[in-house]
């Protein structure tokens, strides 16, 4: 474990530690020291409007104004089909049980999209990388609009590495996908041990750290629609961030998280509790032979479900009935058919801290998917 030093006033200062989190160069790693600190953000920013002629300059200003809370929402009928023709008057929003007035509404499918692809390249996923790489190539080629949308690629195992920073270049993104898995597997003595547990830096799958860094270092600075896509079995080993910290950071960055559970049974992960059978998209994979002690069995499915549910994204599981290509198609369709809503909470409801959001529609038998809450700044 790297030595951690806590500085600054209490309470709750984050330690300083080292991540391999920098723009990837051919066959080389850029090492950066990242001081991870709790960043208290405003309630949220109103979605950008094309008709606005100007915006206030960015800067470290202090304001007592109550900011607009914004959210992206997807609506489906009882058969799972997307509903695209709703108006502002069809929605009802509450904060902490108090009714709110919707002041901004749009179907923002044309707004720029910032997308992050987070790929688990730990040893438990090594035989799935070719399938993940191929599907990711197709998704990026189809989903991203050149000169309008941007994406980045992160791989995580015993370290978190930014293979490609935000770019609209398909060529750069596709080149980074070809590097998935290569740095870990080329390092002498690095990687996971025979039980899938990391033998480097005290951990083997830094899922929570990857979500935290993607949200805090990349997404929080962006405006418009933002989403992360996680490809993993959901089992975290060795992260310094907690599950709740990673979720909070994504919420503060107004970022949806889509989770795709893709597990390799032959690595022993499919036999753990909480996987609902551990279905995978390719045949010929039998049950695992290695088992963790009962007390250390992480539930990857529940972890990924929680991350997506609380941030307003959606959980998927690769199976024979739903391939990774079909899942990517569903995510693409959803990202292009979202409603953007905003409201300004009453002062009594604007205290710093976490606030619950409950968004519904008046029409029966329709299901709304959005984030469960947000963090108000001081």
């Amino acid at each position: 474990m790297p030595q951690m030093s806590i500085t600054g006033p209490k309470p709750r200062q984050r330690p300083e530690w080292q991540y391999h989190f920098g723009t990837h160069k051919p066959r080389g790693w850029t090492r950066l020291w990242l001081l991870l600190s709790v960043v208290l953000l405003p309630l949220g920013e109103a979605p950008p409007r094309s008709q606005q002629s100007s915006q206030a300059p960015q800067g470290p200003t202090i304001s007592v104004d109550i900011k607009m809370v914004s959210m992206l929402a997807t609506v489906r009928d009882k058969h799972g089909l997307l509903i695209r023709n709703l108006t502002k008057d069809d929605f009802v929003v509450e904060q902490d049980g108090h009714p709110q007035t919707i002041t901004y509404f749009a179907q923002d499918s044309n707004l720029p999209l910032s997308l992050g692809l987070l790929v688990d390249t730990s040893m438990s996923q090594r035989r799935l990388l070719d399938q993940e790489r191929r599907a990711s190539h197709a998704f990026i080629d189809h989903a991203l609009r050149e000169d309008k949308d941007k994406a980045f690629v992160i791989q995580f195992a015993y370290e978190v590495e930014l293979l490609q920073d935000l770019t609209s270049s398909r060529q750069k993104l596709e080149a980074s996908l070809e590097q998935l898995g290569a740095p870990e597997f080329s390092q002498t003595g690095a990687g996971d041990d025979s039980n899938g547990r990391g033998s480097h830096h005290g951990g083997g799958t830094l899922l929570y750290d990857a979500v935290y860094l993607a949200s805090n270092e990349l997404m929080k600075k962006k405006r418009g629609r933002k989403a992360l896509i996680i490809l993993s079995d959901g089992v975290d080993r060795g992260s310094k961030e907690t599950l709740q910290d990673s979720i909070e950071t994504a919420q503060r960055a107004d970022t949806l998280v889509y989770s795709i559970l893709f597990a390799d049974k032959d690595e022993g992960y499919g036999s753990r509790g909480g996987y609902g059978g551990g279905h995978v998209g390719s045949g010929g994979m039998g049950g695992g032979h290695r088992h963790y002690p009962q007390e250390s069995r992480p539930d990857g499915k529940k972890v990924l479900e929680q991350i997506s549910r609380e941030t307003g994204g959606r959980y998927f599981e690769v199976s024979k009935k739903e391939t990774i290509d079909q899942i990517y198609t569903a995510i693409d369709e959803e990202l292009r058919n979202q409603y953007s809503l905003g409201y300004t909470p009453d002062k009594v409801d604007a205290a710093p801290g976490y606030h619950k959001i409950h968004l519904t529609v008046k029409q029966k038998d329709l299901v709304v998917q959005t984030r469960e809450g947000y963090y108000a700044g001081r």
Side-chain angles (χ1 to χ4, degrees):
M1 290 289 290
Q3 184 177 3
M4 298 186 297
S5 60
I6 299 177
T7 59
K10 294 182 178 180
R12 203 166 180 267
Q13 290 291 316
R14 293 193 181 278
E16 180 179 302
W17 58 73
Q18 189 174 34
Y19 278 97
H20 294 284
F21 190 69
T23 304
H24 181 67
K25 304 298 182 183
R27 306 302 298 174
W29 291 11
T30 302
R31 303 192 175 209
L32 298 179
W33 283 92
L34 298 180
L35 180 60
L36 305 183
S37 57
V38 173
V39 181
L40 297 175
L41 300 181
L43 297 187
E45 306 242 354
R49 306 189 195 190
S50 58
Q51 65 267 29
Q52 290 179 337
S53 58
S54 63
Q55 294 186 2
Q58 299 292 310
T61 59
I62 299 174
S63 174
V64 295
D65 294 338
I66 300 174
K67 303 297 183 180
M68 178 179 286
V69 178
S70 61
M71 70 195 83
L72 293 172
T74 303
V75 183
R76 291 185 176 82
D77 64 16
K78 61 183 178 180
H79 303 292
L81 299 177
L82 290 167
I83 304 299
R84 301 176 173 90
N85 59 353
L86 299 179
T87 67
K88 180 178 73 172
D89 294 335
D90 292 314
F91 289 87
V92 177
V93 63
E94 294 181 350
Q95 176 177 305
D96 300 328
H98 301 154
Q100 304 293 327
T101 300
I102 297 172
T103 55
Y104 177 85
F105 178 85
Q107 289 182 275
D108 282 343
S109 59
N110 289 322
L111 280 178
L113 172 66
S114 297
L115 184 70
L117 184 62
L118 279 56
V119 183
D120 182 346
T121 56
S122 63
M123 292 296 286
S124 66
Q125 300 294 98
R126 68 187 186 277
R127 291 191 295 182
L128 305 175
L129 284 178
D130 285 343
Q131 297 177 62
E132 294 173 347
R133 185 182 294 110
R134 176 187 53 77
S136 298
H137 274 298
F139 176 73
I140 287 175
D141 187 58
H142 183 265
L144 293 184
R145 298 164 297 181
E146 284 198 88
D147 301 323
K148 191 165 190 177
D149 300 330
K150 292 185 178 182
F152 61 87
V153 178
I154 286 176
Q155 67 176 7
F156 61 94
Y158 59 86
E159 291 173 316
V160 178
E161 183 178 10
L162 179 64
L163 295 181
Q164 175 57 56
D165 205 344
L166 273 165
T167 181
S168 59
S169 168
R170 285 194 177 94
Q171 183 178 5
K172 291 181 179 179
L173 291 167
E174 291 178 355
S176 69
L177 292 175
E178 292 302 317
Q179 294 296 321
L180 286 173
E184 286 91 1
F185 304 147
S186 66
Q187 299 296 308
T188 303
D192 293 354
D193 63 22
S194 60
N195 285 325
R197 289 167 289 192
S199 57
H200 188 73
H201 289 306
T205 313
L206 306 187
L207 168 60
Y208 306 155
D209 288 352
V211 174
Y212 179 92
L213 286 166
S215 302
N216 191 57
E217 298 297 324
L218 296 169
M219 286 303 199
K220 79 174 184 181
K221 298 177 286 189
K222 302 298 294 181
R223 292 179 177 270
R225 298 181 303 132
K226 296 176 282 187
L228 299 177
I229 298 176
I230 299 172
L231 273 165
S232 176
D233 57 15
V235 179
D236 183 283
R237 290 194 174 277
S239 281
K240 297 174 181 67
E241 300 297 330
T242 65
L243 171 60
Q244 195 54 52
D245 287 340
S246 67
I247 292 173
E248 175 182 335
T249 308
Q251 290 172 329
R252 288 183 181 276
D254 294 333
T255 300
L256 308 177
V257 182
Y258 290 87
S259 300
I260 304 175
L261 187 146
F262 202 2
D264 185 348
K265 282 185 178 182
D266 282 356
E267 284 299 317
Y269 285 82
S271 61
R272 298 181 197 174
Y275 274 78
H279 300 131
V280 294
S282 57
M285 294 185 180
H289 300 290
R290 294 185 292 273
H291 301 270
Y292 285 100
Q294 181 68 33
E295 66 274 12
S296 64
R297 289 181 182 175
D299 192 331
K301 179 176 181 178
K302 286 186 177 180
V303 165
L304 295 177
E305 285 178 331
Q306 181 179 349
I307 293 173
S308 293
R309 182 182 67 251
E310 295 189 19
T311 60
R314 190 177 171 197
Y315 166 82
F316 296 88
E317 183 172 347
V318 177
S319 68
K320 292 180 180 179
K321 293 182 178 179
E322 191 170 30
T323 67
I324 188 170
D325 298 275
Q326 292 171 324
I327 290 170
Y328 268 141
T329 298
I331 293 174
D332 178 38
E333 183 182 26
E334 183 169 307
L335 289 173
R336 303 303 172 196
N337 293 279
Q338 293 174 315
Y339 298 95
S340 181
L341 303 96
Y343 68 91
T344 303
D346 297 331
K347 290 185 178 180
V348 69
D349 297 323
Y354 184 75
H355 296 277
K356 292 284 290 183
I357 296 174
H358 185 55
L359 182 67
T360 58
V361 290
K362 298 174 183 177
Q363 185 177 337
K364 293 182 178 180
D365 299 325
L366 295 184
V367 178
V368 180
Q369 173 189 315
T370 191
R371 58 175 171 165
E372 293 187 344
Y374 73 95
Y375 285 87
R378 301 185 190 279

